[in-house]
Structure formats: C-alpha cells, structure tokens
Amino acid sequence: MSKILAAIEPSAAAGPVLGVATALAERLGLTPVAVHVPEEDPEPARLLAGHWDMQLLLAEGTPSDAIRTVMDREGAELAVVGTRRLATGPR
C-alpha cells in the first residue's frame, strides 16, 4: 500500500502534521507513517507517533534530505511537514 509521511519533531507543531497526514491518508487510501530526524532522544517522537497509531521511522541527515530519502525508500506518495521549532504553523 502507498504511504504518506508525517515529518515530525517533538513540539506542538507535530499534532497538526499528524492530523493532516491522518486525514489525507484516510481520504486517499494511503498508510500514514511518521518520520523523525532526531537530534536528541527520539522517545518523545515515538510517543507522539504511537498516540496517532503510526509507525515511526528514524532518519539521519538534514531534515529535507532525510525526508526525501525516506520517501524514496518507503515509496511514499506525499509528505506532510510543519514549521520547524515553532509551536504553531504559519501565521
């Protein structure tokens, strides 16, 4: 089955990213999968993904390169990303 990635970091911005990825997955018949590029302990991201019943994939490198690499490897059709290090999305 095709996948949609939810690129997350453990911040308040993760909730909307996971929510949008879940909604799009349901509408488009995709499997939602979370991806995280850890700078520290990945456990908070693992808990977030688990709360949304998503598998969490850990990736290395710059976030943009890591997301592209995981998209290619997993055959993901789409990726949902948020605003890095901010509690809310675009204003």
Side-chain angles (χ1 to χ4, degrees):
M1 177 176 264
S2 295
K3 298 177 182 178
I4 182 170
L5 297 184
I8 62 168
E9 63 180 11
S11 72
V17 169
L18 292 161
V20 168
T22 298
L24 286 171
E26 290 173 1
R27 184 160 181 102
L28 300 173
L30 304 172
T31 300
V33 177
V35 62
H36 175 59
V37 181
E39 294 175 354
E40 297 175 5
D41 180 15
E43 189 59 23
R46 200 176 312 280
L47 292 171
L48 282 167
H51 179 76
W52 289 82
D53 293 324
M54 281 191 207
Q55 173 188 11
L56 177 67
L57 303 174
L58 299 178
E60 295 180 358
T62 63
S64 59
D65 289 343
I67 292 165
R68 280 193 301 269
T69 298
V70 173
M71 284 187 77
D72 289 343
R73 184 182 72 222
E74 296 294 318
E77 306 257 343
L78 298 168
V80 179
V81 298
T83 304
R84 188 163 159 76
R85 299 253 184 253
L86 295 178
T88 60
R91 299 179 199 274

Coordinates of all heavy atoms in Angstrom, one line a residue:
M1 N 0.8 -1.2 0.0 CA 0.0 0.0 0.0 C 0.9 1.2 0.0 O 1.9 1.3 0.7 CB -0.9 0.0 1.2 CG -1.8 1.2 1.3 SD -3.0 1.1 2.7 CE -4.4 0.6 1.8
S2 N 0.5 2.3 -0.7 CA 1.2 3.5 -0.7 C 1.2 4.2 0.6 O 0.2 4.1 1.4 CB 0.7 4.4 -1.8 OG 0.9 3.8 -3.1
K3 N 2.2 5.1 0.8 CA 2.3 5.7 2.1 C 2.3 7.2 2.0 O 2.6 7.8 1.0 CB 3.6 5.3 2.8 CG 3.6 3.8 3.1 CD 4.9 3.4 3.7 CE 4.9 1.9 3.9 NZ 6.2 1.4 4.4
I4 N 1.9 7.9 3.1 CA 2.1 9.3 3.3 C 2.9 9.5 4.6 O 2.7 8.8 5.6 CB 0.7 10.0 3.4 CG1 1.0 11.5 3.6 CG2 -0.1 9.5 4.5 CD1 -0.3 12.4 3.4
L5 N 4.0 10.3 4.5 CA 4.8 10.6 5.6 C 4.4 11.8 6.4 O 4.0 12.8 5.8 CB 6.3 10.8 5.2 CG 7.0 9.7 4.5 CD1 8.4 10.1 4.2 CD2 6.9 8.4 5.3
A6 N 4.5 11.7 7.7 CA 4.3 12.9 8.6 C 5.6 13.1 9.2 O 6.1 12.4 10.0 CB 3.2 12.5 9.7
A7 N 6.3 14.2 8.7 CA 7.6 14.6 9.3 C 7.4 15.3 10.5 O 6.8 16.4 10.5 CB 8.4 15.4 8.2
I8 N 7.9 14.7 11.6 CA 7.6 15.4 13.0 C 8.9 15.6 13.8 O 9.9 15.0 13.5 CB 6.6 14.5 13.8 CG1 7.2 13.1 14.1 CG2 5.3 14.4 13.1 CD1 6.5 12.3 15.2
E9 N 8.7 16.5 14.7 CA 9.7 16.7 15.8 C 8.8 16.9 17.0 O 7.6 17.2 16.9 CB 10.6 17.9 15.5 CG 9.8 19.2 15.5 CD 10.8 20.4 15.3 OE1 12.0 20.2 15.0 OE2 10.3 21.5 15.4
P10 N 9.4 16.6 18.2 CA 8.5 16.6 19.4 C 8.3 18.1 19.8 O 9.0 18.7 20.6 CB 9.3 15.9 20.5 CG 10.7 15.9 19.9 CD 10.7 16.0 18.5
S11 N 7.3 18.7 19.2 CA 6.8 20.0 19.5 C 5.3 20.1 19.3 O 4.7 19.2 18.8 CB 7.5 21.1 18.7 OG 7.0 21.0 17.3
A12 N 4.7 21.2 19.7 CA 3.3 21.4 19.5 C 2.9 21.4 18.0 O 1.8 21.1 17.7 CB 2.8 22.7 20.1
A13 N 3.9 21.6 17.1 CA 3.6 21.6 15.7 C 3.3 20.2 15.2 O 2.8 20.0 14.1 CB 4.7 22.2 14.9
A14 N 3.7 19.2 15.9 CA 3.6 17.8 15.5 C 2.1 17.4 15.4 O 1.7 16.6 14.5 CB 4.3 16.8 16.4
G15 N 1.3 17.8 16.3 CA -0.1 17.4 16.3 C -0.8 17.8 15.0 O -1.4 16.9 14.4
P16 N -0.7 19.0 14.5 CA -1.4 19.3 13.2 C -0.8 18.5 12.0 O -1.5 18.1 11.1 CB -1.1 20.8 13.0 CG -1.0 21.3 14.4 CD -0.3 20.2 15.2
V17 N 0.5 18.3 12.0 CA 1.1 17.5 11.0 C 0.6 16.1 11.0 O 0.2 15.5 9.9 CB 2.7 17.5 11.1 CG1 3.3 16.5 10.2 CG2 3.2 18.9 10.8
L18 N 0.5 15.5 12.2 CA 0.0 14.1 12.3 C -1.5 14.1 11.9 O -2.0 13.1 11.3 CB 0.2 13.6 13.7 CG 1.7 13.3 14.0 CD1 1.9 13.2 15.5 CD2 2.2 12.1 13.3
G19 N -2.2 15.1 12.3 CA -3.7 15.2 12.0 C -3.9 15.3 10.5 O -4.8 14.6 9.9
V20 N -3.2 16.1 9.8 CA -3.3 16.3 8.4 C -2.9 15.0 7.6 O -3.6 14.6 6.7 CB -2.5 17.5 7.9 CG1 -2.5 17.6 6.3 CG2 -3.2 18.8 8.4
A21 N -1.8 14.4 8.0 CA -1.4 13.2 7.4 C -2.4 12.1 7.6 O -2.7 11.4 6.6 CB 0.0 12.8 8.0
T22 N -3.0 12.0 8.8 CA -4.0 11.0 9.0 C -5.3 11.3 8.1 O -5.8 10.3 7.5 CB -4.4 11.0 10.5 OG1 -3.3 10.6 11.3 CG2 -5.5 10.0 10.8
A23 N -5.7 12.5 8.1 CA -6.9 12.8 7.3 C -6.7 12.6 5.8 O -7.5 12.0 5.1 CB -7.3 14.3 7.5
L24 N -5.5 13.0 5.3 CA -5.2 12.7 3.9 C -5.1 11.2 3.6 O -5.5 10.7 2.6 CB -3.9 13.4 3.5 CG -4.0 14.9 3.3 CD1 -2.6 15.5 3.1 CD2 -4.9 15.3 2.1
A25 N -4.5 10.5 4.5 CA -4.3 9.0 4.4 C -5.7 8.4 4.2 O -5.9 7.5 3.4 CB -3.6 8.4 5.5
E26 N -6.6 8.8 5.1 CA -8.0 8.2 5.1 C -8.7 8.5 3.7 O -9.3 7.7 3.1 CB -8.8 8.7 6.3 CG -8.3 8.1 7.6 CD -9.0 8.7 8.8 OE1 -9.9 9.6 8.6 OE2 -8.7 8.3 9.9
R27 N -8.6 9.8 3.3 CA -9.2 10.2 2.1 C -8.6 9.6 0.8 O -9.4 9.3 -0.1 CB -9.2 11.8 2.0 CG -9.9 12.3 0.9 CD -10.2 13.8 1.1 NE -11.0 14.3 0.0 CZ -12.3 14.5 0.0 NH1 -13.0 14.3 1.1 NH2 -12.9 15.1 -1.0
L28 N -7.3 9.4 0.8 CA -6.6 9.0 -0.4 C -6.3 7.5 -0.3 O -5.7 7.0 -1.3 CB -5.4 9.8 -0.6 CG -5.6 11.3 -0.7 CD1 -4.2 12.0 -0.8 CD2 -6.4 11.6 -2.0
G29 N -6.6 6.8 0.7 CA -6.3 5.4 0.8 C -4.8 5.1 1.0 O -4.3 4.1 0.4
L30 N -4.1 5.9 1.7 CA -2.7 5.7 2.0 C -2.5 5.3 3.4 O -3.3 5.4 4.3 CB -2.0 7.0 1.7 CG -2.1 7.7 0.3 CD1 -1.5 9.0 0.3 CD2 -1.5 6.8 -0.7
T31 N -1.3 4.7 3.7 CA -0.9 4.4 5.0 C -0.1 5.5 5.6 O 1.0 5.8 5.0 CB -0.1 3.1 5.0 OG1 -0.9 2.0 4.5 CG2 0.4 2.7 6.4
P32 N -0.5 6.1 6.7 CA 0.3 7.2 7.3 C 1.5 6.6 8.1 O 1.3 5.6 8.9 CB -0.7 7.9 8.2 CG -1.6 6.8 8.6 CD -1.7 5.9 7.5
V33 N 2.7 7.2 7.9 CA 3.9 6.8 8.7 C 4.6 8.1 9.1 O 4.7 9.0 8.3 CB 4.8 6.0 7.7 CG1 6.1 5.6 8.4 CG2 4.1 4.7 7.2
A34 N 5.0 8.1 10.4 CA 5.7 9.3 10.9 C 7.2 9.1 10.6 O 7.7 7.9 10.7 CB 5.5 9.4 12.4
V35 N 7.9 10.2 10.4 CA 9.4 10.1 10.2 C 9.9 11.3 11.1 O 9.4 12.3 11.2 CB 9.8 10.3 8.7 CG1 9.4 11.6 8.1 CG2 11.3 10.1 8.6
H36 N 11.1 11.0 11.7 CA 11.7 11.9 12.6 C 13.2 11.9 12.4 O 13.8 10.8 12.3 CB 11.3 11.6 14.1 CG 12.0 12.4 15.1 ND1 11.9 13.8 15.2 CD2 12.8 12.0 16.1 CE1 12.6 14.2 16.2 NE2 13.2 13.2 16.8
V37 N 13.8 13.0 12.4 CA 15.3 13.1 12.3 C 15.8 13.6 13.7 O 15.7 14.8 14.0 CB 15.7 14.2 11.2 CG1 17.2 14.2 11.1 CG2 15.1 13.8 9.9
P38 N 16.2 12.6 14.5 CA 16.5 13.0 15.9 C 17.8 13.8 16.1 O 18.8 13.5 15.4 CB 16.5 11.7 16.6 CG 16.9 10.7 15.6 CD 16.3 11.2 14.3
E39 N 17.7 14.8 16.9 CA 18.9 15.5 17.3 C 19.2 15.1 18.8 O 20.4 15.2 19.2 CB 18.7 17.0 17.3 CG 18.5 17.5 15.9 CD 18.2 19.0 15.8 OE1 17.9 19.6 16.8 OE2 18.1 19.5 14.7
E40 N 18.2 14.6 19.5 CA 18.4 14.1 20.8 C 17.6 12.8 21.0 O 17.4 12.1 20.0 CB 17.8 15.2 21.8 CG 18.6 16.5 21.7 CD 18.0 17.6 22.6 OE1 17.0 17.3 23.3 OE2 18.5 18.7 22.5
D41 N 17.1 12.5 22.1 CA 16.4 11.3 22.4 C 15.1 11.2 21.5 O 14.3 12.1 21.6 CB 16.0 11.3 23.9 CG 15.2 10.0 24.3 OD1 15.2 9.1 23.5 OD2 14.6 10.1 25.4
P42 N 14.9 10.2 20.8 CA 13.8 10.1 19.9 C 12.5 9.6 20.6 O 11.4 9.5 20.0 CB 14.2 9.0 18.8 CG 15.2 8.2 19.5 CD 15.9 9.1 20.5
E43 N 12.6 9.3 21.9 CA 11.4 8.8 22.6 C 10.2 9.7 22.6 O 9.1 9.2 22.3 CB 11.8 8.4 24.1 CG 10.7 7.7 24.8 CD 10.3 6.3 24.1 OE1 11.1 5.8 23.4 OE2 9.2 5.9 24.4
P44 N 10.3 11.0 22.7 CA 9.1 11.9 22.6 C 8.4 11.8 21.2 O 7.2 11.7 21.1 CB 9.7 13.3 22.8 CG 10.9 13.1 23.7 CD 11.5 11.8 23.2
A45 N 9.2 11.7 20.2 CA 8.6 11.5 18.8 C 8.0 10.1 18.7 O 6.9 10.0 18.1 CB 9.7 11.7 17.7
R46 N 8.6 9.1 19.3 CA 8.0 7.8 19.3 C 6.6 7.8 20.0 O 5.7 7.2 19.6 CB 9.0 6.8 20.0 CG 8.7 5.4 19.7 CD 9.8 4.5 20.3 NE 11.2 4.8 20.1 CZ 11.9 4.7 19.0 NH1 11.4 4.1 18.0 NH2 13.2 5.0 19.0
L47 N 6.5 8.5 21.1 CA 5.3 8.6 21.9 C 4.2 9.3 21.1 O 3.0 8.9 21.0 CB 5.5 9.3 23.2 CG 6.3 8.5 24.2 CD1 6.7 9.4 25.4 CD2 5.6 7.3 24.7
L48 N 4.6 10.4 20.4 CA 3.7 11.1 19.5 C 3.1 10.2 18.4 O 1.9 10.2 18.2 CB 4.3 12.4 18.9 CG 4.5 13.6 19.8 CD1 5.5 14.6 19.1 CD2 3.1 14.2 20.0
A49 N 4.0 9.6 17.7 CA 3.6 8.7 16.6 C 2.7 7.6 17.2 O 1.6 7.2 16.6 CB 4.8 8.1 15.9
G50 N 3.0 7.0 18.3 CA 2.2 6.0 18.9 C 0.8 6.4 19.3 O -0.2 5.7 19.1
H51 N 0.7 7.7 19.8 CA -0.6 8.2 20.1 C -1.5 8.3 18.9 O -2.7 8.2 19.0 CB -0.4 9.6 20.7 CG -1.7 10.3 21.1 ND1 -2.4 10.0 22.2 CD2 -2.3 11.3 20.4 CE1 -3.5 10.8 22.2 NE2 -3.5 11.6 21.2
W52 N -0.9 8.5 17.7 CA -1.7 8.5 16.4 C -1.7 7.2 15.7 O -2.1 7.1 14.6 CB -1.1 9.6 15.5 CG -1.4 11.0 16.0 CD1 -0.7 11.7 17.0 CD2 -2.4 11.8 15.6 NE1 -1.2 12.9 17.2 CE2 -2.3 13.0 16.3 CE3 -3.5 11.7 14.7 CZ2 -3.2 14.1 16.2 CZ3 -4.4 12.7 14.5 CH2 -4.2 13.9 15.3
D53 N -1.2 6.1 16.4 CA -1.2 4.8 15.8 C -0.4 4.7 14.6 O -0.8 4.1 13.6 CB -2.6 4.2 15.6 CG -3.3 4.0 16.9 OD1 -2.7 3.6 17.9 OD2 -4.6 4.2 16.9
M54 N 0.7 5.4 14.5 CA 1.6 5.4 13.4 C 2.9 4.8 13.7 O 3.5 5.0 14.8 CB 1.9 6.9 12.9 CG 0.8 7.5 12.1 SD 1.4 9.0 11.4 CE -0.1 9.9 11.3
Q55 N 3.5 4.1 12.7 CA 4.8 3.6 12.8 C 5.8 4.8 12.8 O 5.5 5.8 12.0 CB 5.1 2.7 11.6 CG 6.5 2.3 11.5 CD 6.8 1.5 10.2 OE1 6.0 1.5 9.3 NE2 8.0 0.9 10.1
L56 N 6.9 4.8 13.5 CA 7.8 5.9 13.4 C 9.1 5.4 12.8 O 9.7 4.4 13.2 CB 8.2 6.4 14.8 CG 9.2 7.5 14.9 CD1 8.8 8.8 14.2 CD2 9.7 7.8 16.3
L57 N 9.5 6.1 11.8 CA 10.8 5.8 11.1 C 11.8 6.9 11.5 O 11.5 8.1 11.5 CB 10.7 5.8 9.6 CG 9.7 4.8 9.0 CD1 9.5 5.0 7.5 CD2 10.1 3.4 9.4
L58 N 13.0 6.5 11.9 CA 14.0 7.4 12.3 C 15.0 7.6 11.1 O 15.3 6.6 10.4 CB 14.8 7.0 13.5 CG 14.0 6.8 14.8 CD1 14.9 6.3 15.9 CD2 13.3 8.1 15.2
A59 N 15.4 8.8 10.8 CA 16.2 9.1 9.7 C 17.4 10.0 10.1 O 17.3 10.6 11.1 CB 15.4 9.8 8.6
E60 N 18.5 9.9 9.3 CA 19.6 10.7 9.6 C 19.9 11.7 8.5 O 19.5 11.5 7.3 CB 20.9 9.8 9.8 CG 20.8 8.9 10.9 CD 22.0 8.0 11.1 OE1 22.9 8.1 10.2 OE2 22.1 7.2 12.0
G61 N 20.6 12.8 8.8 CA 20.9 13.8 7.8 C 20.2 15.1 8.1 O 19.5 15.3 9.1
T62 N 20.2 16.0 7.1 CA 19.4 17.2 7.2 C 17.9 16.8 7.1 O 17.6 15.8 6.4 CB 19.8 18.2 6.2 OG1 19.5 17.7 4.9 CG2 21.3 18.6 6.2
P63 N 17.0 17.5 7.7 CA 15.6 17.1 7.6 C 15.1 17.0 6.1 O 14.5 16.0 5.8 CB 14.9 18.2 8.3 CG 15.9 18.6 9.4 CD 17.2 18.6 8.7
S64 N 15.5 17.9 5.3 CA 15.0 17.8 3.9 C 15.5 16.6 3.2 O 14.8 15.9 2.5 CB 15.3 19.1 3.1 OG 16.7 19.4 3.1
D65 N 16.8 16.4 3.3 CA 17.4 15.2 2.7 C 16.9 13.9 3.2 O 16.6 12.9 2.5 CB 18.9 15.2 2.8 CG 19.6 16.3 1.9 OD1 19.0 16.8 1.0 OD2 20.8 16.6 2.2
A66 N 16.7 13.9 4.6 CA 16.2 12.7 5.2 C 14.8 12.3 4.8 O 14.5 11.2 4.5 CB 16.3 12.8 6.7
I67 N 14.0 13.3 4.7 CA 12.6 13.1 4.3 C 12.5 12.6 2.9 O 11.8 11.6 2.6 CB 11.8 14.4 4.4 CG1 11.6 14.8 5.9 CG2 10.4 14.3 3.8 CD1 11.1 16.2 6.2
R68 N 13.3 13.2 2.0 CA 13.4 12.7 0.6 C 13.9 11.2 0.5 O 13.3 10.4 -0.2 CB 14.2 13.6 -0.3 CG 13.5 14.9 -0.7 CD 14.3 15.6 -1.8 NE 15.6 15.9 -1.4 CZ 15.9 17.1 -0.9 NH1 15.0 18.0 -0.7 NH2 17.2 17.4 -0.6
T69 N 14.9 10.9 1.3 CA 15.4 9.6 1.3 C 14.4 8.6 1.8 O 14.2 7.5 1.2 CB 16.7 9.5 2.2 OG1 17.7 10.4 1.7 CG2 17.2 8.1 2.3
V70 N 13.7 8.9 2.9 CA 12.7 8.0 3.4 C 11.5 7.9 2.4 O 11.0 6.8 2.2 CB 12.2 8.5 4.8 CG1 11.0 7.6 5.3 CG2 13.3 8.4 5.8
M71 N 11.1 9.0 1.8 CA 10.1 8.9 0.8 C 10.4 7.9 -0.3 O 9.6 7.1 -0.7 CB 9.8 10.3 0.2 CG 9.0 11.2 1.1 SD 8.5 12.7 0.3 CE 7.1 12.2 -0.7
D72 N 11.6 8.0 -0.8 CA 12.1 7.1 -1.9 C 12.1 5.7 -1.4 O 11.6 4.8 -2.1 CB 13.5 7.5 -2.4 CG 13.5 8.8 -3.2 OD1 12.4 9.2 -3.6 OD2 14.5 9.4 -3.4
R73 N 12.7 5.5 -0.2 CA 12.9 4.1 0.3 C 11.5 3.5 0.6 O 11.3 2.3 0.3 CB 13.7 4.2 1.6 CG 14.0 2.8 2.1 CD 14.8 2.8 3.4 NE 14.0 3.3 4.5 CZ 14.4 4.2 5.4 NH1 15.6 4.7 5.4 NH2 13.6 4.6 6.4
E74 N 10.6 4.2 1.1 CA 9.3 3.7 1.5 C 8.2 3.8 0.4 O 7.1 3.3 0.6 CB 8.8 4.5 2.8 CG 9.6 4.3 4.0 CD 9.6 2.9 4.5 OE1 8.5 2.2 4.5 OE2 10.7 2.4 4.9
G75 N 8.6 4.4 -0.7 CA 7.6 4.5 -1.8 C 6.4 5.5 -1.4 O 5.3 5.2 -1.8
A76 N 6.7 6.5 -0.6 CA 5.7 7.4 -0.1 C 5.3 8.3 -1.3 O 6.1 8.8 -2.1 CB 6.2 8.2 1.0
E77 N 4.0 8.6 -1.3 CA 3.4 9.4 -2.4 C 3.4 10.9 -2.0 O 3.6 11.8 -2.8 CB 1.9 9.0 -2.6 CG 1.7 7.6 -2.9 CD 1.5 7.3 -4.4 OE1 1.2 8.3 -5.1 OE2 1.7 6.2 -4.8
L78 N 3.3 11.2 -0.7 CA 3.2 12.5 -0.1 C 3.9 12.6 1.2 O 4.1 11.6 1.9 CB 1.8 12.9 0.1 CG 0.8 13.0 -1.0 CD1 -0.6 13.1 -0.5 CD2 1.1 14.1 -2.0
A79 N 4.3 13.8 1.6 CA 4.8 14.1 2.9 C 4.2 15.4 3.4 O 4.0 16.3 2.7 CB 6.4 14.3 2.8
V80 N 3.8 15.3 4.7 CA 3.3 16.5 5.4 C 4.4 17.0 6.3 O 4.9 16.2 7.1 CB 2.0 16.1 6.2 CG1 1.5 17.4 6.9 CG2 1.0 15.6 5.2
V81 N 4.7 18.2 6.2 CA 5.8 18.8 7.1 C 5.2 20.1 7.8 O 4.3 20.7 7.2 CB 7.0 19.2 6.3 CG1 7.7 17.9 5.7 CG2 6.8 20.2 5.2
G82 N 5.7 20.4 8.9 CA 5.3 21.6 9.6 C 6.4 22.6 9.7 O 7.4 22.5 9.0
T83 N 6.2 23.6 10.5 CA 7.2 24.7 10.7 C 8.1 24.2 11.8 O 7.7 23.9 12.9 CB 6.4 26.0 11.1 OG1 5.5 26.3 10.2 CG2 7.4 27.1 11.3
R84 N 9.4 24.2 11.5 CA 10.4 23.7 12.4 C 10.6 24.6 13.6 O 10.7 25.8 13.5 CB 11.7 23.6 11.6 CG 12.8 22.9 12.4 CD 13.9 22.4 11.4 NE 15.1 22.2 12.1 CZ 15.4 21.1 12.8 NH1 14.5 20.2 13.0 NH2 16.6 21.0 13.3
R85 N 10.5 23.9 14.8 CA 10.8 24.5 16.0 C 9.8 25.6 16.5 O 10.1 26.5 17.3 CB 12.2 25.1 16.1 CG 13.3 24.0 15.9 CD 14.0 23.8 17.2 NE 15.0 22.8 17.0 CZ 15.0 21.6 17.3 NH1 13.9 21.1 18.0 NH2 16.0 20.8 17.1
L86 N 8.7 25.7 15.8 CA 7.7 26.7 16.3 C 6.5 25.9 16.8 O 6.1 24.9 16.3 CB 7.3 27.6 15.1 CG 8.3 28.5 14.6 CD1 7.8 29.3 13.4 CD2 8.9 29.5 15.6
A87 N 5.8 26.5 17.8 CA 4.7 25.8 18.4 C 3.4 25.8 17.5 O 2.6 25.0 17.7 CB 4.4 26.5 19.7
T88 N 3.4 26.8 16.6 CA 2.2 26.8 15.7 C 2.7 26.9 14.3 O 3.9 27.1 14.0 CB 1.4 28.1 16.0 OG1 2.2 29.2 15.8 CG2 0.8 28.0 17.4
G89 N 1.8 26.7 13.4 CA 2.1 26.7 11.9 C 2.2 28.2 11.4 O 2.4 29.1 12.2
P90 N 2.2 28.3 10.1 CA 2.4 29.7 9.5 C 1.3 30.6 10.0 O 0.2 30.2 10.3 CB 2.2 29.4 8.0 CG 2.4 27.9 7.8 CD 2.0 27.3 9.1
R91 N 1.6 31.8 10.1 CA 0.7 32.9 10.5 C 0.1 33.6 9.4 O 0.6 33.7 8.4 CB 1.4 33.9 11.4 CG 2.0 33.2 12.6 CD 2.7 34.2 13.5 NE 3.6 33.5 14.3 CZ 3.3 33.0 15.5 NH1 2.1 33.1 15.9 NH2 4.2 32.4 16.3

